[in-house]
Amino acid sequence: MSTLMPHKIIDNQPLYYSDEGHGPVVIFCHGLLANSHMWRAQIDELSTQYRCIAIDFWGHGQTTTIPETTQNLQDVAQHVLTLMDMLNIHSAAIIGHGSGGAIAAELILHAPARINGLVMLNSFVGFEPQVNCIKYQGLMAEIANKQAISSELAQTISGLFFSKDIEQLITQDATLTAEIEQFSTELTTYSSAQIAALLKFANMAIFKRDTLEFVESLTLPTLVTVGLSGHLRTALESYLMHDSIDGSQLVHIEQTGHLANIEKPTIFNQHLIDFLSKINFN
């Protein structure tokens, strides 16, 4: 694990985050079974122009607990707003991956004036499709049974998170092998105490509410991105969100899966830079 990140006490529990760079604020929200490290390539690129805040959500990365009162992703979105207050951040752009995108949407629905722009990477704000619920529930049942994430299970999760074309991508980018190994290794470091927090968060993420109709009211600049070779998200879902959010921009990234920002960071970063450059940060 990397050096200890700063944290703030929210609902009596420490929420860890990284804080790098100066300028307009960009907040990074990872999805289920990932952590703030997934944004390393984006933070390295953006922190020369932006203040980048990357959160380790409850039960993930260095955040090993979860407040007893946390019941759903709306509560988690409120925690992000609380963190913004504690860091004296009035407004920010927000980038959400997977369930982090659903948290971002909840945050915007609750406090629209505080978010300048939204990027969703392999996220879906409708009900989680049944086929995905079954996959995730199977993973969580195995984690609960063993009270740990074995190296074998970590490999299974990596197989779901990375592209169907991953073998081809590895031949094009030698550093990608190390990224995949690190992602898998980080999963195996979870303690039994942290597993309890992870499982509670997972239940909220898997059975999140449907906000697809609510996001039709969003008027902020929005970028919807999806990897076209993933196991968990589909192009159809991206079209549904693109259609629901008026004026949103849709980007498909070929040969990438759930972690498209790690698999093809140069391409994803360029879309991100172009998008953020058009946002009016207030």
Side-chain angles (χ1 to χ4, degrees):
M1 188 65 72
S2 59
T3 56
L4 201 63
M5 298 190 297
H7 69 271
K8 295 293 184 185
I9 302 299
I10 297 177
D11 282 359
N12 299 314
Q13 297 298 333
L15 183 70
Y16 286 83
Y17 62 93
S18 64
D19 187 347
E20 300 178 44
H22 300 279
V25 178
V26 179
I27 298 174
F28 293 86
C29 300
H30 68 79
L32 179 61
L33 292 169
N35 59 56
S36 60
H37 181 264
M38 70 167 283
W39 304 112
R40 188 69 262 161
Q42 286 67 58
I43 293 171
D44 287 345
E45 184 81 30
L46 294 177
S47 58
T48 57
Q49 301 178 62
Y50 299 94
R51 181 183 177 187
C52 298
I53 309 288
I55 302 168
D56 271 354
F57 281 116
W58 305 117
H60 293 76
Q62 294 187 20
T63 301
T64 60
T65 59
I66 187 169
E68 289 184 12
T69 56
T70 305
Q71 299 297 322
N72 48 49
L73 295 189
Q74 295 101 294
D75 291 340
V76 180
Q78 184 59 57
H79 297 154
V80 178
L81 287 170
T82 301
L83 179 65
M84 289 173 66
D85 291 340
M86 289 177 166
L87 297 176
N88 296 313
I89 296 169
H90 172 69
S91 64
I94 192 161
I95 302 171
H97 160 256
S99 55
I103 293 167
E106 294 286 6
L107 192 160
I108 296 163
L109 291 169
H110 184 72
R114 300 191 64 177
I115 304 301
N116 310 115
L118 168 65
V119 179
M120 288 191 284
L121 168 62
N122 287 312
S123 297
F124 186 56
V125 297
F127 284 126
E128 192 66 36
Q130 187 65 23
V131 63
N132 284 358
C133 289
I134 292 169
K135 287 177 185 175
Y136 279 126
Q137 284 178 285
L139 295 173
M140 295 307 146
E142 187 169 346
I143 293 170
N145 184 48
K146 295 182 178 178
Q147 286 297 296
I149 301 178
S150 66
S151 57
E152 292 81 8
L153 183 54
Q155 292 293 332
T156 299
I157 294 168
S158 290
L160 287 174
F161 274 44
F162 288 96
S163 168
K164 297 172 184 176
D165 302 315
I166 196 64
E167 295 300 327
Q168 184 177 344
L169 287 175
I170 288 172
T171 63
Q172 300 167 2
D173 182 2
T175 63
L176 190 52
T177 299
E179 291 281 1
I180 296 169
E181 289 177 355
Q182 180 166 354
F183 177 79
S184 296
T185 300
E186 286 177 348
L187 287 170
T188 64
T189 63
Y190 282 55
S191 67
S192 57
Q194 187 172 13
I195 290 295
L198 170 66
L199 292 171
K200 184 174 180 180
F201 182 95
N203 194 60
M204 297 185 298
I206 295 168
F207 300 106
K208 67 184 187 299
R209 70 171 182 156
D210 181 356
T211 58
L212 201 56
E213 290 185 18
F214 299 130
V215 298
E216 291 179 357
S217 66
L218 298 186
T219 57
L220 79 170
T222 302
L223 174 64
V224 177
T225 59
V226 65
L228 290 181
S229 296
H231 296 274
L232 297 171
R233 299 267 70 101
T234 67
L236 174 59
E237 292 168 340
S238 69
Y239 285 120
L240 287 172
M241 290 195 299
H242 176 50
D243 289 341
S244 297
I245 303 173
D246 190 41
S248 63
Q249 179 184 348
L250 176 61
V251 169
H252 289 161
I253 305 177
E254 295 183 358
Q255 290 188 305
T256 62
H258 205 48
L259 295 170
N261 64 310
I262 293 177
E263 293 168 308
K264 290 197 174 180
T266 303
I267 292 173
F268 182 76
N269 285 357
Q270 193 56 58
H271 286 301
L272 209 50
I273 291 166
D274 292 345
F275 176 76
L276 291 173
S277 69
K278 300 170 185 173
I279 290 178
N280 178 27
F281 286 89
N282 50 39

